[in-house]
């Protein structure tokens, strides 16, 4: 039994012992429902020190990476899905479903910044207005 309370699948152990790393990763993913990166890390650690490695714990399966949440706040749904696919090792359908669940659960419409993020945009707009006014003064009023 691993530290996270999960057994390394015997079929994956057999594949690993036979030098079939990809097959072992696939078995671990299917058996425990892990993402590609997590399964790969567990299999590689198991190959180095059998019985001592465990899959990553402490993360909710519905939790989006910070970069994906930022992309959603900026209205970039496709970017958020790409980030989830890359970081979680999911297929397109699973990544989209995860992003959709996050949007439905959070209640924040796509493209709306979380509190505190909007203030930054206001500062940039104010700076742009000052620069435009200063440029106009130099060109026309100098």
């Amino acid at each position: 039994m691993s530290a996270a309370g999960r057994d390394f699948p015997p079929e994956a152990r057999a594949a690993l012992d036979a030098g079939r790393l990809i097959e072992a990763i696939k078995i671990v993913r299917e058996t425990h429902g892990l993402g590609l990166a997590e399964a790969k890390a567990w299999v590689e650690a198991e190959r180095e020190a059998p019985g001592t490695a465990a899959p990553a714990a402490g993360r909710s399966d519905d939790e989006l990476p910070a970069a994906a949440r930022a992309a959603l706040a900026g209205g970039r749904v496709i970017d958020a899905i790409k980030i989830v696919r890359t970081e979680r090792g999911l297929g397109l359908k699973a990544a989209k479903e995860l992003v959709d669940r996050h949007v439905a659960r959070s209640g924040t419409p796509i493209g709306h910044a979380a509190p505190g993020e909007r203030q930054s945009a206001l500062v940039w707009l104010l700076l742009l207005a000052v620069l435009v006014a200063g440029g106009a003064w130099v060109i026309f009023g100098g």
Side-chain angles (χ1 to χ4, degrees), residues 10-108:
E11 302 86 10
R13 166 56 50 208
L16 194 56
D17 290 344
R20 298 186 311 266
L21 180 67
I22 294 173
E23 183 180 338
I25 293 169
K26 182 179 178 185
I27 292 168
V28 168
R29 287 188 72 193
E30 291 171 354
T31 303
H32 293 295
L34 298 174
L36 179 60
E38 293 170 310
K40 182 178 181 281
W42 191 12
V43 169
E44 288 177 345
E46 186 71 20
R47 179 174 57 178
E48 298 297 320
T52 61
R59 174 182 51 80
S60 165
D61 286 339
D62 283 345
E63 182 180 328
L64 290 186
R69 290 192 308 270
L72 284 175
R76 298 182 325 273
V77 178
I78 293 173
D79 289 343
I81 293 169
K82 286 178 182 178
I83 291 166
V84 169
R85 287 189 72 190
T86 301
E87 291 194 18
R88 299 287 293 281
L90 299 174
L92 178 61
K93 182 179 178 186
K96 183 181 181 315
E97 289 172 354
L98 183 62
V99 169
D100 289 344
R101 273 196 312 268
H102 174 80
V103 169
R105 188 179 62 244
S106 70
T108 303

Side-chain angles (χ1 to χ4, degrees), residues 132-142:
V132 168
W137 181 78
V138 168
I139 293 172
F140 299 112

Side-chain angles (χ1 to χ4, degrees), residues 108-123:
T108 303
I110 296 173
H112 287 75
E117 293 176 5
R118 197 170 292 263
Q119 182 180 14
S120 171
L122 183 60
V123 169

